[in-house]
Amino acid sequence: QYMRLTTKGRFAVTAMIDLGLRYHSGPVTLATISERQNISLSYLEQLFGRLRRHELVESVRGPGGGYLLARYARDISVADIIFAVDEPVDTTACGSKKVCDTGKDGATSGHCMTHELWTDLNRHVVDFLDAVSLQDLVDKQRMRQLNNQNKSTGHSEVVMRDQTNGIMSRAV
């Protein structure tokens, strides 16, 4: 599996966080997400079509309709979201082809000298994104929002332990 992190992947993750923040409030319209996150509505429609086909979101038709998460946020990884919108993870220069075009130290076929390095990085990126759940991101955003409210009212900062790796994080 290979992943290139482009606007498509970033926007899909951002929109899913928006949806996750409102998970208990009922369906969320793409127009509302578009307005809140400053992402084009037509682009969101394309992304949510793919997210729906991968069963990460479900649509509710009619008045009061919109989109809901199709499963719990804790059961959706960032890698799930990125792969759903057809983003391959790839840090290799050759696009993970069987033959690299450059950096082969005079060889006429095969991979470049650093191919394994970039392939290993791809694997680490996928493993990392697979270990981060949508719920982790939603919780961090809620903490950030709470700290922003506290700052405006003069209350102290909220510190939260990250469930996935035990790191103390502080909203800024």
Side-chain angles (χ1 to χ4, degrees):
Q1 302 263 11
Y2 298 100
M3 183 179 305
R4 217 178 13 164
L5 296 176
T6 65
T7 304
K8 192 189 302 182
R10 282 194 265 286
F11 283 178
V13 171
T14 299
M16 289 291 283
I17 294 169
D18 188 290
L19 203 56
L21 285 166
R22 291 149 186 87
Y23 182 69
H24 298 292
S25 304
V28 179
T29 66
L30 293 184
T32 307
I33 296 173
S34 171
E35 192 174 302
R36 268 194 300 260
Q37 305 305 331
N38 196 27
I39 301 171
S40 131
L41 180 58
S42 62
Y43 201 67
L44 282 174
E45 288 168 347
Q46 292 173 33
L47 294 177
F48 272 72
R50 292 175 177 170
L51 293 167
R52 190 173 40 77
R53 282 190 293 280
H54 282 84
E55 300 178 349
L56 298 180
V57 298
E58 53 190 38
S59 60
V60 177
R61 296 184 182 270
Y67 283 88
L68 297 167
L69 295 179
R71 38 188 179 182
Y72 293 114
R74 68 174 178 260
D75 297 329
I76 299 172
S77 74
V78 173
D80 291 336
I81 297 167
I82 292 172
F83 286 125
V85 295
D86 295 332
E87 287 295 288
V89 175
D90 190 4
T91 55
T92 64
C94 66
S96 296
K97 294 184 287 191
K98 297 211 185 282
V99 177
C100 299
D101 295 328
T102 61
K104 294 186 288 190
D105 197 30
T108 56
S109 66
H111 292 300
C112 64
M113 296 183 293
T114 58
H115 190 86
E116 286 76 25
L117 170 70
W118 305 124
T119 301
D120 288 347
L121 177 60
N122 288 343
R123 201 170 12 265
H124 286 292
V125 169
V126 170
D127 290 346
F128 170 75
L129 294 176
D130 204 38
V132 178
S133 74
L134 178 58
Q135 189 65 57
D136 296 332
L137 299 179
V138 167
D139 291 345
K140 285 180 183 180
Q141 181 58 26
R142 281 200 178 111
M143 184 179 66
R144 199 174 290 122
Q145 290 170 343
L146 184 59
N147 280 325
N148 287 339
Q149 289 172 355
N150 287 342
K151 284 179 184 175
S152 67
T153 60
H155 291 91
S156 61
E157 236 177 321
V158 174
V159 176
M160 203 168 111
R161 181 171 291 280
D162 184 326
Q163 303 278 335
T164 56
N165 53 21
I167 294 175
M168 295 295 281
S169 59
R170 195 177 291 265
V172 183

